[in-house]
Amino acid sequence: MAILAATALALAAGPGLPNSLTGLTVVGPYVVLLLGAAISAWFNRARALVLLASLLVAFAGYSMAFDLDPNGFAVRATFTVLAVLVPVNVLLALAFPERGVRQHRNYRWLLLGLAEILIAIWIANAGRSSLSGAAWRDVLDHWLLRSPPTPLAARVLIAAAFAAALLRAWPRQKPKELRKEPRPLDISLAAALAAFFIGCEWVAEPGAFGAFMSAAGIVVLIAVLQESHRLAFRDELTNLPSRRALEERLPGLGPVYTIAMVDVDRFKQFNDTHGHDIGDQVLKLVAARLAGVEGGGVSYRYGGEEFCIVFPDRSIDQAIPHLERLREDVEKYRMAVRGGDRPRDKGEGMRLRSARASERTLSVTVSIGAAERDDTLIGPSLVIRAADEALYRAKHAGRNRVMR
């Protein structure tokens, strides 16, 4: 939203760009939207590509119609059709799961886009050559073009698409430990729609429409880059920083630090008994406990059922009490397992959880091995190896304990 506010303030401040730079208000949206669409296709983000391509076609179509006839029926009809079709495309993209750009039968989006362009051209040319065309133009004037600047139909569809984008971005009603943070890309769809609506409302102002189209493109482009960074450095299942993020962090550690390796006890046996879906829930819930570790520790998903905790600027004596509390927290926590027969009705779900609490809750334990940097363990890889050896000793000593 900061980008939208900055765009509005820049337009309100006036008097605009110098004459030598006024071309940016025309060329800028093309550059931003084309770049965003290309990066979205490269990173395989279908929803972002659909929105950016729709905005690009809308801006290009309106600009061409405006250049041909600034005050005529064609420009108003083109604006109306494009203002309606952009949120329609977003609603269609949100109605289906994100499958990426490179998917089976992705040509259907191309056919839909071509059909929409032909519809816009046909409506823009209505009424030029016949009485029936003039009658059709009168109908459009009366029902679609009478609520300037943004037609009523477009306002309703933009509001619906905005609400749908917010619903997708908003965390679902799940236990706190299973909720995922809203993704930047989901939020950016709603922000870009807001920018598109503001641009439509200011379409009569020179440069305003292009400025807000650029703002919409910048919002989505930044979100695509943030999403790609998140996928690279954050584990999708547990929402903890990934092993790659750990490897990026290790070289920056100072002369004093402690590393702990954490492993879920008997996880393979647990997974075989209860199934992989329940096993994934267990990993998420254990990760939620690790994410709250105190003492300045930062938890990472290391691989499988193994995690790593880094305590920068902490000796092992300072870190051990926090690891003990973490181990006890995991041991005492009773995890409510979400089965496939979970009812839709909230009240019914609460009744079943009370009646079947004993069979729907599970608990696990973790073993932890810790090591600190010293004169013999002078590198992070050596400290991790020592922490792994301490973890194996904790396993052999009976599990559910912290060893150093």
Side-chain angles (χ1 to χ4, degrees):
M1 290 303 176
I3 294 176
L4 304 188
T7 303
L9 288 174
L11 290 171
L17 293 173
N19 292 333
S20 59
L21 299 178
T22 52
L24 290 178
T25 60
V26 177
V27 179
Y30 288 110
V31 173
V32 171
L33 295 172
L34 276 172
L35 179 62
I39 292 178
S40 298
W42 185 20
F43 289 164
N44 204 29
R45 300 291 95 188
R47 289 190 184 122
L49 177 59
V50 168
L51 174 58
L52 291 170
S54 300
L55 293 175
L56 178 62
V57 172
F59 180 74
Y62 177 78
S63 298
M64 288 187 291
F66 185 84
D67 291 340
L68 292 174
D69 188 5
N71 300 312
F73 170 82
V75 69
R76 291 184 291 121
T78 301
F79 170 70
T80 296
V81 173
L82 296 175
V84 167
L85 291 180
V86 168
V88 166
N89 289 341
V90 174
L91 285 170
L92 289 174
L94 291 171
F96 301 98
E98 173 67 82
R99 296 191 177 95
V101 177
R102 296 175 288 277
Q103 59 166 300
H104 183 57
R105 295 179 179 176
N106 57 3
Y107 62 87
R108 290 176 292 185
W109 279 107
L110 294 176
L111 294 178
L112 176 63
L114 179 61
E116 291 176 348
I117 292 173
L118 293 176
I119 290 173
I121 294 174
W122 175 64
I123 292 178
N125 288 308
R128 287 189 173 182
S129 60
S130 66
L131 292 176
S132 60
W136 172 241
R137 181 180 62 190
D138 291 339
V139 170
L140 289 176
D141 266 327
H142 182 74
W143 292 105
L144 290 180
L145 310 180
R146 62 182 300 178
S147 56
T150 308
L152 178 60
R155 293 182 182 185
V156 172
L157 288 169
I158 291 173
F162 182 82
L166 285 183
L167 286 175
R168 181 160 300 270
W170 204 260
R172 304 298 190 272
Q173 294 300 316
K174 294 181 179 181
K176 182 179 179 181
E177 296 81 2
L178 292 177
R179 293 179 188 172
K180 291 185 178 180
E181 296 179 358
R183 295 183 176 182
L185 194 54
D186 293 332
I187 298 173
S188 74
L189 296 180
L193 285 167
F196 176 66
F197 174 72
I198 297 172
C200 289
E201 289 292 296
W202 284 11
V203 71
E205 296 293 330
F209 185 61
F212 278 101
M213 295 292 271
S214 297
I218 291 172
V219 167
V220 179
L221 176 58
I222 292 175
V224 169
L225 296 176
Q226 287 180 324
E227 180 81 356
S228 301
H229 181 274
R230 186 190 65 82
L231 291 174
F233 290 96
R234 189 162 290 273
D235 180 65
E236 183 73 10
L237 178 65
T238 62
N239 205 34
L240 288 176
S242 65
R243 184 166 179 172
R244 182 173 180 178
L246 172 65
E247 292 172 351
E248 291 279 334
R249 179 69 181 93
L250 291 177
L253 294 173
V256 178
Y257 59 86
T258 297
I259 296 178
M261 301 301 295
V262 183
D263 189 83
V264 181
D265 293 331
R266 297 187 175 89
F267 182 74
K268 185 178 185 304
Q269 178 183 348
F270 182 93
N271 222 14
D272 294 339
T273 302
H274 298 282
H276 293 283
D277 289 341
I278 304 301
D280 286 347
Q281 290 184 38
V282 168
L283 289 178
K284 291 179 184 179
L285 295 165
V286 170
R289 305 267 76 78
L290 267 65
V293 65
E294 298 177 345
V298 180
S299 299
Y300 300 82
R301 173 88 182 275
Y302 197 73
E305 68 273 20
E306 196 169 11
F307 302 86
C308 180
I309 306 176
V310 178
F311 291 89
D313 304 316
R314 296 290 189 277
S315 67
I316 194 168
D317 291 331
Q318 293 173 311
I320 287 293
H322 301 293
L323 294 173
E324 283 287 0
R325 280 196 291 272
L326 172 66
R327 182 196 62 77
E328 293 175 1
D329 188 23
V330 174
E331 180 185 17
K332 295 176 181 178
Y333 189 74
R334 294 296 178 265
M335 290 167 282
V337 178
R338 295 160 62 86
D341 60 342
R342 181 170 176 257
R344 293 181 178 273
D345 182 72
K346 185 177 180 180
E348 180 67 12
M350 293 178 64
R351 187 188 66 79
L352 287 177
R353 281 194 293 273
S354 299
R356 298 172 12 186
S358 60
E359 72 177 60
R360 294 182 64 84
T361 59
L362 297 169
S363 62
V364 294
T365 60
V366 295
S367 297
I368 304 175
E372 67 177 335
R373 182 195 181 280
D374 57 23
D375 293 337
T376 57
L377 303 175
I378 58 175
S381 60
L382 296 177
V383 179
I384 289 177
R385 184 182 303 173
D388 256 331
E389 293 173 355
L391 173 62
Y392 293 141
R393 291 197 296 273
K395 292 282 190 182
H396 293 152
R399 297 181 174 85
N400 189 27
R401 62 194 65 218
V402 179
M403 298 288 286
R404 54 193 296 180

